[in-house]
Amino acid sequence: MCQLIALQTDITRLRVDAIVNAANCSLLGGGGVDGAIHRAAGPQLLQACRALNGCRTGEAKITPGFNLPAQFVIHTPGPVWHGGKSQEPQLLASCYTRALELALNYQAKTVAFPCISTGVYGFPHELAAQTALSAVRQFLALHPNTFEKIYFVCFLETDLAIYQKLLEKAAC
Ligand code: APR
């Protein structure tokens, strides 16, 4: 049974099989968690990303983790929030689904997600967390016994409280 865990930490410090990067479509780095992951992984990450020729919103691509404790980085551009009428929830859900598909293909058993799209991209935090958990649970229902632990890594206290509330609700 896969454990879903919310925690507040810097995702670059996690020793898991794969961390997920809230990237942009160029895959050439940026600010926020993207910048933190590139800084921690070192210049080889950018070199590897250059060879990927970008990534569409809601899709995902994988590289080694290089200097990170994580073996892999799964890069997925989330949607920019434009009010919710441009398929943003569906595109965000796709980020989680595609990332888990890649993780599965690479035999990753532990995966850590940041709160994709909730920073620069402005996605409402509660809806993003609901969307993330729903997409992950749907994937696990279709692919039972594939992962050991899936982490929802919150940088902000507010995000941690949202995830903890949603996870508790489901547990009872
Ligand atoms: N560890 C975990 N979470 C982090 C870290 C970190 N080291 N740094 C930031 N975060 C959190 C933010 O607090 C936010 O909750 O990651 C979440 C996602 O925020 P962003 O990094 O701004 O990502 P996003 O909203 O998806 O915007 C992506 O920002 O950095 C650029 O290149 C990136 O253009 C892309 C855009």
Side-chain angles (χ1 to χ4, degrees):
M1 177 75 177
C2 177
Q3 265 188 293
L4 302 184
I5 302 158
L7 77 166
Q8 187 176 9
T9 189
D10 174 349
I11 200 169
T12 66
R13 302 165 65 87
L14 290 181
R15 188 169 297 282
V16 291
D17 293 337
I19 62 170
V20 178
N21 179 21
N24 60 57
C25 293
S26 75
L27 296 188
L28 299 179
V33 70
D34 193 4
I37 288 173
H38 274 270
R39 278 191 299 278
Q44 289 174 288
L45 182 60
L46 181 57
Q47 215 173 341
C49 286
R50 281 209 175 92
L52 296 177
N53 299 318
C55 186
R56 287 187 312 180
T57 299
E59 298 297 322
K61 293 190 177 179
I62 194 166
T63 64
F66 299 111
N67 300 339
L68 286 162
Q71 190 183 357
F72 298 110
V73 182
I74 295 172
H75 308 264
T76 182
V80 177
W81 181 255
H82 291 298
K85 303 251 185 305
S86 315
Q87 300 284 310
E88 295 98 320
Q90 292 82 346
L91 286 165
L92 183 63
S94 175
C95 288
Y96 287 83
T97 305
R98 292 281 174 274
L100 289 177
E101 283 170 358
L102 266 180
L104 189 55
N105 294 344
Y106 281 73
Q107 288 85 44
K109 294 292 177 198
T110 54
V111 182
F113 286 96
C115 300
I116 302 169
S117 281
T118 64
V120 168
Y121 283 2
F123 207 108
H125 292 251
E126 175 100 22
L127 178 60
Q130 289 166 347
T131 304
L133 283 169
S134 160
V136 168
R137 285 188 173 122
Q138 275 180 37
F139 185 92
L140 293 174
L142 291 173
H143 306 86
N145 311 318
T146 45
F147 293 102
E148 287 164 12
K149 290 183 179 154
I150 294 177
Y151 297 92
F152 298 92
V153 182
C154 305
F155 214 44
L156 307 174
E157 186 88 37
T158 45
D159 282 322
L160 179 65
I162 291 169
Y163 272 96
Q164 283 175 333
K165 183 190 68 179
L166 293 172
L167 286 170
E168 271 155 32
K169 222 162 72 177
C172 45

